[in-house]
Amino acid sequence: MRVIEAKDYADLSRKAANVISAQVILKPNSVLGLATGSTPIGTYKQLIDWYNKGDIDFSMTKSINLDEYVGLDGTNDQSYRYFMDNNFFDHINIKKENTFVPSGVANDMEAECVRYDKLIADMGGIDIQLLGIGHDGHIGFNEPGAAFEKTTHLVTLDERTIEANARFFASKDEVPKRAITMGIKSIMQARKLLLIANGPDKKEIVQKAINGPVTPLIPASILQFHPDLTVIYCFN
Ligand code: PGA
């Protein structure tokens, strides 16, 4: 595990973007596992900037996202598909048909879970997975539980997650209560992992996740077992 302390959020974003940029330069047809949330926004901005300068070419790159709210389609401005288009894909030359986010509005959500796992396998797995971390230790929407959920599955969001995400909605009541998320197995099978955490409120959970016992009560703690994990944090 590599643990890198960033000076501030801009530094964290540049460092994370450098890691992703190196991946795409070294392997233009990489499969990037991507994440939503406020933490990766600066990383995406930096990558867009370097793309505009001609430093990175995403034309052969594919992406696969961690999760989506159940009940929101891609036109809903709180959906993760909308977030990814708006914060990243619409500003670079990745082909939209090569970008994948689970559907939150499939008729059969169980079948969507199976389809998503097959999609990851058919893409040959994930080269690098970008991860944020929730205050409860979730990665994607793998919430604390009795066991690590291996494959893509449906979850009921924790109260803490709903509260944290309410800032993006008109009110807490509008936050969807359910989500579809990639499982721990798919995340752990990614060839590289890049966890980013920003802010003093993330200090305690990051320390527990990377130094504490491995337990499904802190889903991110499983990452300690990954052979190629980089953690970049700024707790200022
Ligand atoms: P945040 O979310 O980047 O908005 O803090 C992280 C997460 O919940 O995974």
Side-chain angles (χ1 to χ4, degrees):
M1 184 192 320
R2 295 174 211 91
V3 182
I4 300 168
E5 181 177 3
K7 289 196 288 278
D8 51 30
Y9 179 65
D11 187 40
L12 178 152
S13 301
R14 264 195 318 273
K15 284 180 162 60
N18 261 306
V19 174
I20 295 170
S21 167
Q23 174 68 41
V24 174
I25 291 168
L26 294 172
K27 185 182 176 196
N29 62 345
S30 287
V31 176
L32 305 179
L34 298 177
T36 53
S38 48
T39 315
I41 290 178
T43 305
Y44 296 143
K45 279 208 174 96
Q46 183 62 76
L47 288 169
I48 292 165
D49 188 38
W50 287 334
Y51 163 73
N52 285 330
K53 290 186 172 133
D55 289 341
I56 324 174
D57 175 10
F58 293 96
S59 60
M60 289 166 69
T61 308
K62 292 183 181 173
S63 73
I64 183 125
N65 261 75
L66 285 166
D67 46 15
E68 180 60 282
Y69 287 118
V70 170
L72 303 190
D73 73 16
T75 62
N76 186 304
D77 64 5
Q78 293 307 330
S79 72
Y80 287 169
R81 160 53 74 181
Y82 189 97
F83 175 102
M84 289 309 301
D85 287 350
N86 199 37
N87 286 292
F88 196 33
F89 301 147
D90 286 346
H91 309 285
I92 57 170
N93 66 337
I94 196 166
K95 294 190 181 86
K96 217 33 117 43
E97 65 269 25
N98 286 339
T99 68
F100 301 93
V101 179
S103 170
V105 290
N107 285 335
D108 181 344
M109 287 303 295
E110 293 294 343
E112 175 63 7
C113 294
V114 174
R115 184 192 75 88
Y116 210 65
D117 284 330
K118 185 168 181 315
L119 184 62
I120 299 167
D122 290 350
M123 288 167 107
I126 298 165
D127 286 300
I128 185 165
Q129 178 65 56
L130 179 65
L131 297 165
I133 181 169
H135 296 102
D136 59 2
H138 70 216
I139 42 175
F141 272 134
N142 287 277
E143 297 283 29
F148 292 109
E149 293 271 0
K150 295 193 200 69
T151 55
T152 301
H153 57 284
L154 299 169
V155 288
T156 301
L157 300 184
D158 272 20
E159 197 52 33
R160 205 137 176 225
T161 304
I162 291 172
E163 267 162 31
N165 292 2
R167 68 192 194 275
F168 302 113
F169 291 81
S171 75
K172 194 177 139 187
D173 292 341
E174 286 184 28
V175 184
K177 307 284 178 286
R178 294 174 73 220
I180 172 170
T181 183
M182 208 187 266
I184 292 291
K185 188 170 156 198
S186 308
I187 294 172
M188 288 297 283
Q189 282 180 343
R191 288 179 268 281
K192 290 175 188 291
L193 296 180
L194 176 58
L195 177 78
I196 54 176
N198 181 57
D201 54 317
K202 292 285 172 77
K203 186 172 179 178
E204 191 185 337
I205 193 63
V206 170
Q207 286 175 345
K208 277 189 189 155
I210 66 177
N211 299 321
V214 173
T215 161
L217 295 173
I218 300 177
S221 63
I222 191 86
L223 304 178
Q224 294 180 35
F225 290 149
H226 195 280
D228 192 340
L229 166 67
T230 302
V231 179
I232 307 178
Y233 71 85
C234 169
F235 298 142
N236 297 336

